[in-house]
Amino acid sequence: KRGYVVICWDPVGQGERSQFWDRARNRSRYNLVCGEHAILGNLATLAGTSLTRWMVWDGIRAVDYLLTRADVDPKRLAITGTSGGGFQSLWIGALDPRIAVVAPSAFVTALPARMANRIFDDPDSDPEQDPFGLVSSGVDHAGLLLLSYPRAIHVSAAVKDFFPIEGTRKTMREVAAIYERLGLGDRIKLKE
């Protein structure tokens, strides 16, 4: 009988992966919640790229590593995370078909709701969440979730969160309607 194998990593600019460490003060020059990857993300945007590229690559490489292990069943991979981890699980799940279940938490919402928070509630910003061209092309979380089709999707959301629940519900209605139309309505779930 197999148990569970879990891999967890800090994204660039958080936790143990500080990019702006101040040795004299023994801490980052910025906060390690979102401050560092906001700085990195803004610099990447100015350079014509996105921090999304490296954050997603980290996750895909983590999957590569898991698949080298004899105790991992390659048909039973799932990805989950909350907030920034929800961002990572949504993107990595959308782009890596080896993942059977995509389960972002406290991240999925809709474009208008996201933009309102970006303007008023998030002074650090998270530029990796909206890579250059994504918003202007009209790509929203519904489109990213649909890249997971026909795999299972389980979205967890808080009713009172930075990511507005109204946007989460709208996005999930859109994606669930397509899953149901294609006969796979039992593979998509929202838990509030």
Side-chain angles (χ1 to χ4, degrees), residues 28-43:
S28 172
R29 291 189 295 173
Y30 306 99
N31 75 65
L32 284 171
V33 178
C34 295
E36 278 206 15
H37 68 252
I39 298 293
L40 289 167
N42 289 333
L43 292 172

Side-chain angles (χ1 to χ4, degrees), residues 7-185:
I7 188 167
C8 180
W9 66 94
D10 289 328
V12 173
Q14 286 187 305
E16 295 179 355
R17 293 181 71 189
S18 173
Q19 304 299 298
F20 299 97
W21 194 254
D22 183 337
R23 286 184 191 200
R25 295 169 58 202
N26 199 32
R27 64 181 211 96
S28 172
R29 291 189 295 173
Y30 306 99
N31 75 65
L32 284 171
V33 178
C34 295
E36 278 206 15
H37 68 252
I39 298 293
L40 289 167
N42 289 333
L43 292 172
T45 300
L46 290 172
T49 189
S50 173
L51 192 54
T52 306
R53 155 187 272 166
W54 292 285
M55 292 177 121
V56 170
W57 182 247
D58 277 351
I60 290 172
R61 294 299 300 153
V63 172
D64 292 343
Y65 165 72
L66 283 173
L67 292 175
T68 67
R69 294 176 55 109
D71 57 345
V72 171
D73 183 344
K75 294 179 182 161
R76 298 179 54 125
L77 294 180
I79 190 164
T80 191
T82 299
S83 193
F87 154 79
Q88 291 179 354
S89 61
L90 174 63
W91 276 87
I92 296 163
L95 297 173
D96 194 331
R98 299 172 296 177
I99 298 170
V101 178
V102 180
S105 170
F107 177 72
V108 172
T109 190
L111 184 61
R114 261 186 11 248
M115 292 301 106
N117 277 359
R118 284 286 164 256
I119 295 167
F120 301 111
D121 293 338
D122 189 8
D124 285 332
S125 85
D126 292 292
E128 76 282 353
Q129 292 181 11
D130 298 300
F132 179 79
L134 191 81
V135 173
S136 61
S137 298
V139 176
D140 205 353
H141 287 180
L144 292 171
L145 282 170
L146 283 172
L147 288 173
S148 297
Y149 180 85
R151 295 170 286 141
I153 297 172
H154 182 281
V155 171
S156 297
V159 175
K160 295 182 181 182
D161 189 22
F162 173 80
F163 299 99
I165 192 66
E166 296 81 12
T168 308
R169 292 172 180 151
K170 176 185 180 295
T171 293
M172 291 303 289
R173 281 192 303 271
E174 292 173 9
V175 178
I178 293 169
Y179 265 66
E180 288 168 15
R181 177 79 184 236
L182 297 171
L184 297 176

